[in-house]
Structures are given as structure tokens and as C-alpha cells.
Amino acid sequence: MTAETFTSLINLGAAGAVIVVVMIFLNYIAKRDQEWRDFFTILNAQNTTDMRVVTESLKQLTQGIQVLSEKIESHDSTMTKKVGELEEAAITLHAVTKTVFDLNEDFQEHDKLLSESLRKMADAKRKTKKEGI
């Protein structure tokens, strides 16, 4: 508002004073409105930047989780195969162990029979020497 406008309005009396007060108030409101607009523009820009950072971080986390998931699935597949092989090896080992125990029992039985036969032969030999045959 120029000085001439201000003076003209004051010359109008009370109505002019009201108009001056309203114009000053509207000027103040326009400045405050612009300050708020600037504030929210800056805030919106910061939020947009922050959301981009959050979005990028989430994207990287998602990719990392996907890579880990693929590695875990690969590991699980490998371990499933290895567990199957170990189960087969355990079954084979059990069969071999049973066979060894069975053979050991057979050898012990044969050893008893052999020992009994040798004892009988030795007894027979002693008996024949005693009898002079």
C-alpha cells in the first residue's frame, strides 16, 4: 500500500480506517499463508526424499531376503540329498555290522568245535600211547 492510498483512506474517516486495518490484516494473512505454503513445500520435499530412501532400503532388503531364500533352498536341497545318502550308508553299515556279528558267532562256534575236536584227538592220542597202540 502506497502512502497516497493510505492517506486517502484515512481521509475517509472511520470507514477508511477499517479498510486500512483490513488491508493490513489481509497483507499479514497473505505473508503467513506464503510462509505456511513454503513450510509445507519443504516438508513435502523432505518427505518425498525420505520415502525414496525408505523405498530403496526396502528394495535392497527384499533383494537380500530373496538371495538368502534361494541359498537356503539350495542348501536344503543339498542337505536332503546328503541325509538320504547317510541313511543309505547307515542301513548298509547296519547290515555289514550284523553280518560281522553273525560271522563272529559262526567263528566262535567253529572255534568251539575245533577246540573240542583237537581235545578229543589229543585224548585219543594219549589213550593210544597209554595202551601202546
Side-chain angles (χ1 to χ4, degrees):
M1 175 180 340
T2 64
E4 291 173 354
T5 307
F6 185 73
T7 305
S8 297
L9 290 172
I10 294 296
N11 288 335
L12 290 176
V18 169
I19 293 172
V20 169
V21 169
V22 169
M23 289 180 74
I24 291 171
F25 182 69
L26 289 176
N27 236 355
Y28 173 76
I29 289 176
K31 286 179 185 176
R32 291 296 293 161
D33 184 56
Q34 189 58 47
E35 288 174 1
W36 279 107
R37 287 177 188 269
D38 293 344
F39 170 76
F40 282 112
T41 300
I42 291 169
L43 186 63
N44 189 29
Q46 288 175 344
N47 285 342
T48 302
T49 302
D50 292 344
M51 288 307 292
R52 282 189 190 124
V53 170
V54 169
T55 302
E56 186 60 33
S57 296
L58 286 173
K59 184 178 177 183
Q60 290 174 354
L61 284 172
T62 303
Q63 290 172 346
I65 289 170
Q66 186 174 5
V67 167
L68 285 174
S69 175
E70 290 170 2
K71 287 182 179 181
I72 288 171
E73 286 175 6
S74 172
H75 180 265
D76 285 352
S77 175
T78 302
M79 288 300 102
T80 301
K81 182 179 175 184
K82 295 292 183 186
V83 165
E85 291 172 358
L86 286 173
E87 287 173 345
E88 289 176 16
I91 291 169
T92 303
L93 180 61
H94 177 67
V96 168
T97 303
K98 185 176 179 337
T99 302
V100 167
F101 280 125
D102 291 347
L103 287 174
N104 186 32
E105 287 176 0
D106 288 347
F107 284 136
Q108 286 177 356
E109 185 66 33
H110 288 304
D111 189 38
K112 286 179 188 175
L113 291 173
L114 183 61
S115 294
E116 183 66 27
S117 294
L118 288 173
R119 188 183 58 75
K120 285 181 181 177
M121 285 175 58
D123 287 347
K125 192 175 183 181
R126 277 193 299 264
K127 188 176 182 182
T128 55
K129 276 189 182 179
K130 226 183 203 181
E131 292 176 357
I133 301 181

